[in-house]
Amino acid sequence: MPETNTTILLRLRDLAQLFNSMDPSPFIERDLDADAEEYILNWARELPGDGGIDLVIQVAVAPNDERRAGVEDAVRRYFRTRAEIKRLDFGELMRRARLSLLVGLVFLASCLTLGSLVPIAGPSAAGNILREGLTICGWVAMWRPLEIYLYDWWPLLVERRRLERLSRLRVSVVVSGPQPAGAGAERAAA
């Protein structure tokens, strides 16, 4: 069964609205506008599977040919850069997890060793409390590394894959003429 592409339709007055106007970079190297990025990411979260995505940018004012030609590369570059940042964040998280695991294991071993040195001569409540307290403290030190290895890594991986998928967007710009007041963005499935 052939994969179908999903189309995200973004309606703008002018192509410049797609990019962050405060970014001093040349037009095509600018970051996306925060609202446009959020809109595209929100729709991408809801899209099924790994099929292709088409971004159709409908503008009321025709852009010059240079801007129109470079918009696909600009959007792809932006999401590719964001995916690379998520890849680096993932690597940093794994380095932190390894260091946390090492510290946690050393602390756990120290606590268990100290607990074993508490005299077991008779049923002393203070001795039992100290031993159990050291054991609990040692295992609590393992909480963060286990949390990273069990739970924290996968949201970064999912987000990176989504951004990589968006870095392969097919972008087209269509001129639609003036938009009525209140016209916004919408999504259409192809």
Side-chain angles (χ1 to χ4, degrees), residues 101-118:
L101 182 61
L102 177 65
V103 169
L105 286 172
V106 168
F107 188 74
L108 174 62
S110 300
C111 287
L112 293 177
T113 301
L114 285 173
S116 69
L117 296 177
V118 173

Side-chain angles (χ1 to χ4, degrees), residues 114-134:
L114 285 173
S116 69
L117 296 177
V118 173
I120 308 177
S124 163
N128 287 337
I129 290 172
L130 183 58
R131 261 192 313 282
E132 291 300 319
L134 286 168

Side-chain angles (χ1 to χ4, degrees), residues 44-63:
R45 278 185 193 98
E46 297 179 19
L47 297 178
D50 293 328
I53 302 172
D54 295 329
L55 175 63
V56 176
I57 303 168
Q58 195 175 60
V59 293
V61 178

Side-chain angles (χ1 to χ4, degrees), residues 23-101:
D23 190 341
S25 304
F27 181 78
I28 297 305
E29 295 177 16
R30 288 183 182 171
D31 286 345
L32 291 184
D33 177 76
D35 292 334
E37 176 191 8
E38 182 180 348
Y39 177 79
I40 294 166
L41 285 171
N42 284 340
W43 281 115
R45 278 185 193 98
E46 297 179 19
L47 297 178
D50 293 328
I53 302 172
D54 295 329
L55 175 63
V56 176
I57 303 168
Q58 195 175 60
V59 293
V61 178
N64 66 37
D65 290 340
E66 180 183 327
R67 285 188 175 185
R68 182 182 229 158
V71 74
E72 181 172 57
D73 287 339
V75 171
R76 286 179 168 192
R77 178 203 50 82
Y78 178 77
F79 286 117
R80 190 171 33 253
T81 301
R82 292 283 316 276
E84 179 62 18
I85 290 168
K86 288 295 179 187
R87 188 189 67 75
L88 293 172
D89 289 347
F90 182 81
E92 179 62 30
L93 180 68
M94 290 298 106
R95 278 188 290 284
R96 191 175 326 123
R98 287 189 297 272
L99 180 60
S100 297
L101 182 61

Side-chain angles (χ1 to χ4, degrees), residues 9 11 19 47 50 75 80 93 130 133 137 141 158 161 169 181:
L9 177 61
R11 290 185 179 150
F19 298 98
L47 297 178
D50 293 328
V75 171
R80 190 171 33 253
L93 180 68
L130 183 58
C137 285
V158 168
R161 286 181 180 161
L169 272 174

